[in-house]
Amino acid sequence: MTRKVLIFWEGFPVCGLLVSELMKNPGLEIDLYATRPSVPFANFFTEYGISPKVIADDEVIDLDPKQFDLIVITGWSNKNWLLFAKLARKAGVKTCVVVDNNLRFSLRQLFGAIYFRIFLRRHFTFAYCPGYLSKLLMIFFGMPRSNIIIGNYGAHSSLYDYDLRIKRREEFIVVGQLIERKGILELLMAYEEYRSLGGMWELRIIGSGHLREMVQDFGTKCEGVIFEDFLQPTEVAARLKLAKVLILPSRLEHWGTIVCEAAACGTGLILSDKVGSLPDLLLPGVNGVPFRGGDYKSLCIAMRKISAQSNDWFTVASQVSHRIASTRNENTYANAIRFMLDD
């Protein structure tokens, strides 16, 4: 008997590739909807046999929820999809909300917990979270622990793979939006100090955003900086496989899928303590170093510490990163969906 799954993915990022294993399952029929991606991925997804039905943010979907066995939606901010989830639960259909926000005990979350428990909890059978901190949030919001599943927002194994034989550059790599929230200003100050103290590793920055010109200008004045504009996922993956260490210096980052993608490629990690994936993907001293988000001196110390490690240390760190990241790929995503269907 074929079971039908409806997946709504807001924006459809690169980790939307995780649905690829589901598409191959003869016992499943997947209907995939997505709002338009915020970045230009060209024809990237079609190369993997994935072609979501692109819809407008405010578009009402004219579907009968009773035809599905499971409905998965990203977040509860889209009113049309929230309404669809409500109708599905009334019809006895299983529903899953995907959440990547972290428990921070903010005033907004305190009120949000009350609102969720009263108005939203009954509309979702499961919550699917990328990691530990988002699981804590959903527990705080009243979801039963047994119905909270971890492992979303990972890296597709055929794109982000690992080869121990590759000789890596002595290079820090940063990938993402060039905006204040991503900690770009602190990154530049930290690297400038790192070089002034004798550090020799290069810094590769890949991305676009309103700080783009500042980053380019910095690169002309500070030796060791390599800047590249927005790249397609295959090009980013190629850079990750050659770099020794990923830096994610964000002031606030719910999860940080790039961390999982880089770890799957075998990089070491330097992560701000504001990055949600830190507890799941970084083992301090084993495959990377954490630092205080927003503190450029703390970042500089982390850069100096990790760049001073031996090749043997990096060999182990690379293997550890890859093993941890392999718990979040297209196969684990498919397992999670099958678990919800069979529950």
Side-chain angles (χ1 to χ4, degrees):
M1 178 177 128
T2 300
R3 293 178 292 180
K4 294 191 67 175
V5 179
L6 173 65
I7 301 175
F8 167 70
W9 210 309
E10 188 174 359
F12 210 69
V14 176
C15 58
L17 284 181
L18 299 180
V19 304
S20 64
E21 192 62 28
L22 283 176
M23 298 287 191
K24 300 174 185 175
N25 194 315
L28 296 178
E29 183 178 330
I30 311 298
D31 277 12
L32 182 60
Y33 284 77
T35 54
R36 191 168 299 281
S38 57
V39 291
F41 287 133
N43 297 319
F44 173 69
F45 293 107
T46 57
E47 297 176 14
Y48 288 82
I50 299 171
S51 183
K53 301 176 181 70
V54 179
I55 58 173
D57 292 341
D58 58 352
E59 186 173 339
V60 177
I61 305 302
D62 185 19
L63 294 171
D64 179 3
K66 293 192 293 293
Q67 68 178 295
F68 299 100
D69 297 286
L70 174 66
I71 294 167
V72 182
I73 69 171
T74 55
W76 53 75
S77 60
N78 188 303
K79 294 180 180 179
N80 292 324
W81 281 97
L82 180 57
L83 175 61
F84 196 80
K86 292 178 181 179
L87 295 174
R89 286 305 297 139
K90 285 181 180 179
V93 178
K94 295 176 183 178
T95 59
C96 171
V97 61
V98 177
V99 178
D100 68 352
N101 300 69
N102 302 321
L103 180 61
R104 302 184 188 278
F105 293 109
S106 66
L107 188 61
R108 181 175 181 178
Q109 287 187 349
L110 292 173
F111 284 112
I114 297 171
Y115 182 84
F116 187 89
R117 287 168 183 262
I118 295 174
F119 298 108
L120 299 181
R121 163 67 191 92
R122 63 184 180 273
H123 303 309
F124 298 111
T125 317
F126 303 99
Y128 195 13
C129 304
Y132 173 71
L133 294 179
S134 50
K135 177 181 179 179
L136 290 183
L137 177 67
M138 295 316 297
I139 292 172
F140 182 63
F141 274 21
M143 287 294 292
R145 291 172 183 263
S146 60
N147 287 28
I148 303 172
I149 299 164
I150 286 183
N152 199 9
Y153 295 157
H156 197 283
S157 59
S158 69
L159 178 60
Y160 303 100
D161 56 5
Y162 166 75
D163 188 343
L164 183 61
R165 297 167 299 179
I166 293 177
K167 182 173 175 58
R168 295 178 180 269
R169 306 170 178 137
E170 292 191 334
E171 174 184 281
F172 303 111
I173 186 169
V174 178
V175 182
Q177 293 175 285
L178 304 182
I179 57 176
E180 284 86 353
R181 180 178 65 82
K182 294 290 188 177
I184 298 302
L185 300 177
E186 291 85 358
L187 171 71
L188 301 185
M189 289 189 289
Y191 187 69
E192 186 173 40
E193 181 158 317
Y194 168 81
R195 294 293 293 203
S196 72
L197 294 172
M200 296 302 295
W201 280 30
E202 293 183 326
L203 171 65
R204 184 180 300 270
I205 303 175
I206 302 171
S208 60
H210 72 270
L211 296 180
R212 180 179 181 276
E213 290 186 7
M214 174 185 289
V215 173
Q216 281 185 301
D217 184 59
F218 178 81
T220 63
K221 298 175 181 177
C222 183
E223 188 177 0
V225 177
I226 303 164
F227 171 73
E228 295 185 275
D229 210 329
F230 173 83
L231 297 176
Q232 292 296 324
T234 50
E235 297 171 302
V236 171
R239 305 299 192 277
L240 292 173
K241 293 167 190 175
L242 290 173
K244 274 194 171 181
V245 175
L246 173 89
I247 299 178
L248 188 53
S250 302
R251 298 176 185 176
L252 176 65
E253 193 77 49
H254 292 319
W255 173 245
T257 304
I258 186 62
V259 180
C260 195
E261 293 166 347
C265 292
T267 72
L269 304 171
I270 295 179
L271 304 181
S272 155
D273 60 5
K274 309 301 182 185
V275 174
S277 57
L278 189 154
D280 302 272
L281 300 174
L282 190 151
L283 298 179
V286 178
N287 71 326
V289 181
F291 73 95
R292 292 188 301 275
D295 183 344
Y296 81 91
K297 288 188 176 293
S298 178
L299 174 53
C300 178
I301 291 170
M303 295 165 85
R304 295 186 69 199
K305 186 177 295 185
I306 205 167
S307 62
Q309 300 305 309
S310 67
N311 287 332
D312 288 342
W313 186 91
F314 276 105
T315 297
V316 174
S318 183
Q319 293 170 337
V320 169
S321 285
H322 176 70
R323 286 172 189 163
I324 295 174
S326 66
T327 62
R328 289 168 171 80
N329 60 25
E330 68 281 6
N331 297 306
T332 51
Y333 183 90
N335 267 356
I337 297 297
R338 286 192 287 262
F339 174 86
M340 293 183 231
L341 286 167
D342 295 337
D343 185 71

